[in-house]
Amino acid sequence: IVLYFLFFFNDTATTEIYTLSLHDALPISAFYTQAYVKVLKYLRIVFVVRFLSWFSIGLVLFFLAHDYPTLTLWLFGFLLFAFSFSAGFGTIYFQELMGKLFTPSYRGGVIALRQILGGVGAVSSGFLAAYILQNFDKPDSFAYLFLVSSLFMASGYLSAGTVKEPEKKELRE
């Protein structure tokens, strides 16, 4: 069975709808991204999809897990798929943005600092997760983890989404 993904390309010159198989969607997205003058609006869409899917997992666990375990499992799988699949598109746009914002020599330091701060954040969040898991019953504890982490995620997405993006000078058609 071939899964189809409805893919919208919203260009100022034309609006077209393409239907692509999931296997073809990411390479085509990367190909078309090369011709975009700005990619931040697409990255913001990825941010919204990722936040809403992660936050919704928390809501599903909190409101449905006790009474509807099968529905919870299906919704968890679907929302986790949306979260992960959108990350593939987000990586393309994020790398494009990094290439425009930082010179190659400076980019390595920025990426290293991002990794270091991410590691510190991961260890710190482990303490918060341990506290929540010890003080709340399942599945509510997991719901709280998804809800709280989505708020931290939203703060990062808001700061990344407000970057002033320069226009691309050389477009590849």
Side-chain angles (χ1 to χ4, degrees):
I1 199 167
V2 176
L3 296 174
Y4 285 97
F5 177 73
L6 193 58
F7 198 79
F8 294 90
F9 292 101
N10 188 2
D11 192 350
T12 55
T14 180
T15 302
E16 300 179 42
I17 299 175
Y18 295 91
T19 303
L20 306 170
S21 70
L22 289 174
H23 174 71
D24 296 332
L26 287 174
I28 297 249
S29 175
F31 176 76
Y32 279 104
T33 299
Q34 297 173 13
Y36 294 157
V37 176
K38 292 189 173 192
V39 295
L40 189 58
K41 67 180 177 179
Y42 302 105
L43 186 58
R44 287 180 184 142
I45 293 169
V46 170
F47 289 163
V48 169
V49 170
R50 286 179 60 89
F51 168 76
L52 289 177
S53 58
W54 199 255
F55 189 77
S56 296
I57 289 173
L59 292 177
V60 164
L61 288 173
F62 191 76
F63 291 111
L64 300 177
H66 293 286
D67 299 327
Y68 307 100
T70 304
L71 177 62
T72 299
L73 183 62
W74 279 101
L75 289 173
F76 183 86
F78 172 75
L79 292 167
L80 191 59
F81 171 79
F83 179 82
S84 301
F85 187 73
S86 63
F89 290 100
T91 299
I92 295 166
Y93 304 134
F94 181 78
Q95 294 300 329
E96 177 75 19
L97 193 59
M98 290 284 287
K100 287 199 275 183
L101 292 174
F102 303 109
T103 63
S105 60
Y106 188 67
R107 194 176 312 140
V110 169
I111 292 173
L113 183 61
R114 179 176 165 248
Q115 293 288 41
I116 291 169
L117 293 176
V120 170
V123 170
S124 306
S125 66
F127 291 109
L128 178 62
Y131 174 80
I132 290 174
L133 291 172
Q134 289 174 353
N135 292 303
F136 297 98
D137 292 331
K138 291 180 248 166
D140 292 342
S141 59
F142 293 104
Y144 294 139
L145 287 176
F146 278 98
L147 294 171
V148 169
S149 63
S150 68
L151 297 178
F152 283 111
M153 189 185 313
S155 68
Y157 288 165
L158 285 173
S159 65
T162 58
V163 169
K164 185 175 181 196
E165 178 184 11
E167 289 189 2
K168 187 189 277 187
K169 302 211 184 329
E170 296 179 24
L171 291 179
R172 185 173 174 194
E173 308 239 354

